[in-house]
Amino acid sequence: MKPLRIIHGALIALVAAAACSSCTAVGPRPWEKDLMARPEMQLVPYPLQTAADEHVYFSKEASSGGRGFAGGGCGCN
Amino acid sequence: MQLKKRKAGRVGRAISAISATLLIATAASCENSAVAQDFYGLDKAGRDNFGPGIAYTEFDGALLIYQEAGGRVQAIEPTANLAIHGARGQQLTLGAVADAVSGATPNGAVPSDRTQTFVTPLKPQGSSTTVTSASGGSTVIQLPPTPGQVASAALGRQYTTAANTLPMDKGFRDHRAALTAGWSQPLGWISEIGGGGGFSREEDYQSITANVRAAKNFNSDNTTISLDLNGEFDSSFPFGGVPTGLSAMNAQFKPVTTRHKTQLGFVLGLTEVMTRNWLMALNYSYDSQKGYQTDPYRVISVVDPVSGEPTSTLYENRPERRKTQSLFWDNKLAFGPTVTELSYRYFTDDWGISSHTVEASERINLAKAWYVEPNVRFYHQNAANFYRAFLVSNAALPAFASSDTRLSRFDAITYGAKIGFRVSGRSELYVRADYYTQSGDGHPANAIGQLRRQDLFAGTKAAIVQVGYQWKFH
């Protein structure tokens, strides 16, 4: 099944990327993290906005999750 | 990027010395949390500082207003979150959500060039979700009483759809309340370990969720690997009982009142600070769902093979097992006063659905405390292999069939913008508005007779407005 193969390949790539990044110095030095410290650089700076989006899309589309759990916690789908 | 040895001369040594001094100061001040907070609560310019190593609390409140075009679903959803951060990385989060949903929703039947009539169980008087003969364009009808039933109690609800109109049940109304709680903290060599749970209750649905999470930072905290395990246990107790899949729509109460669904899944995540400006996250998710996944209110038309006129209406039926997978790639880029977010998700499941989602937003910090953030989202999905816009009366019934547009092949686009205003160093107010529209094939090649003249895609167009407030304090 093609999509499954793609996903499995991607999963291996993810683990490989994690393994590589652990042994090489990817990323900035501690004193270069000023931009990463900005609140808007968090992956989810506005959790209620993200939750609202995911709630709407979960209710109206067949796909869910990705950023987090695919469950909706409601009967809206 | 690695500094070359020869360049790490006096400047490098000086920076190392400053870093070491800061680390010692941090360690020393942590011994007295009150002092640590006074010191770290304010930066050199006297502004508030919130972040790792500082105890603070964050309150988030928001109000979501959702309105679909054509008088369809309308929802109002107030939400509140409280996150209490400890100085040593502990975090307690509490959340509450309320939902009020009403309006008309497509019942799944095809439009016809004749008037159509549908019957459904009548909510008893005194029910908090009563649909009376005065609301929703419905009328109360007398049914033949079942054995032992008082004739006056054998009532049903009937609603009519005009010719060439998408059949919709206008009696849709629901309320939901949900609570969530979570805890996380560092533990030994594990950078973050925690768990949480949630409880959500609607008038015809209940959901209990639980999750545990572990994460490890390394590579100077530039790399994080995380694993989330999630479980969900849902109960569906639709009004009028649980109909038998692909049986004829009727106004009788069904003997089965409750069905359940369990869902188990995990998310394996990698977060990497790629450069000073670029943050990247890659997630792989897997979920397995077992149990009742049919929409108990949704029906599907059976049409005449020549004229395309509906001859009967059946309840839909979906498989009880579903396995989903997704790969999500997120990027955040900070350049000057802007932050760009670009993400892509590939989703696939064993119902035959696959989808691609691309999202982009550009936050632009303006002078003083204002910022604007336009955003766009593109979505495309394939149909589930049991999706049918209608069934044909001379063909054998399939095991599963649903005419739910959400399971059909369609594209969707969302575009909108957000405006934010930093009220102070501690609080922020924002408002955002988005417009969401789905487009699909309303005239499929297999349409028969009168159906060729009807729009068979019942997609959604919706406006989403959200006002939010964030407040951080020590």
Side-chain angles (χ1 to χ4, degrees), chain B residues 49-67:
Chain B
N49 192 2
F50 302 97
I54 300 162
Y56 69 99
T57 302
E58 180 174 351
F59 170 80
D60 273 19
L63 180 70
L64 174 76
I65 297 167
Y66 172 89
Q67 175 71 61

Side-chain angles (χ1 to χ4, degrees), chain B residues 307-385:
Chain B
S307 68
E309 293 293 348
T311 55
S312 63
T313 308
L314 309 181
Y315 289 107
E316 69 152 47
N317 194 31
R318 302 184 191 189
E320 298 219 337
R321 282 173 184 255
R322 187 184 187 195
K323 290 183 173 66
T324 70
Q325 296 182 85
S326 68
L327 199 62
F328 174 69
W329 185 37
D330 196 13
N331 294 279
K332 295 196 87 162
L333 298 149
F335 287 104
T338 68
V339 172
T340 307
E341 179 162 16
L342 194 61
S343 70
Y344 167 75
R345 178 185 64 180
Y346 176 71
F347 173 97
T348 182
D349 72 4
D350 59 357
W351 282 3
I353 296 165
S354 64
S355 73
H356 302 274
T357 312
V358 176
E359 274 189 275
S361 68
E362 178 80 3
R363 174 176 166 138
I364 305 158
N365 290 328
L366 304 173
K368 300 269 180 186
W370 291 88
Y371 70 89
V372 292
E373 188 175 329
N375 65 280
V376 64
R377 176 184 186 270
F378 300 99
Y379 176 80
H380 169 79
Q381 75 171 43
N382 288 327
N385 47 30

Side-chain angles (χ1 to χ4, degrees), chain B residues 13 23 50 72 119 136 168 218 230 244 286 311 324 326 328 391 401 423 450 467:
Chain B
R13 278 200 296 276
L23 282 172
F50 302 97
R72 283 161 67 167
V119 289
M168 286 201 274
F218 45 91
N230 305 286
T244 304
Y286 174 86
T311 55
T324 70
S326 68
F328 174 69
L391 297 172
V423 183
Q450 64 93 22
V467 182

Side-chain angles (χ1 to χ4, degrees), chain A residues 4 33-34 46 61 63, chain B residues 220 276 325 355 379 428 436:
Chain A
L4 278 177
K33 293 195 181 175
D34 53 331
Y46 299 91
E61 296 170 351
S63 319
Chain B
S220 305
R276 178 171 171 251
Q325 296 182 85
S355 73
Y379 176 80
E428 181 185 321
Y436 174 72

Side-chain angles (χ1 to χ4, degrees), chain A residues 52-53 56-57, chain B residues 64-67 414 432-436 462-466:
Chain A
D53 281 342
V56 168
Y57 297 133
Chain B
L64 174 76
I65 297 167
Y66 172 89
Q67 175 71 61
T414 310
R432 60 128 178 177
D434 285 281
Y435 188 67
Y436 174 72
I464 303 155
V465 177
Q466 193 176 27

Side-chain angles (χ1 to χ4, degrees), chain B residues 112-118 159-165 309-310:
Chain B
S112 164
D113 57 5
R114 298 175 190 168
T115 300
Q116 295 188 77
T117 301
F118 302 93
Y159 59 95
T160 303
T161 299
N164 303 312
T165 306
E309 293 293 348

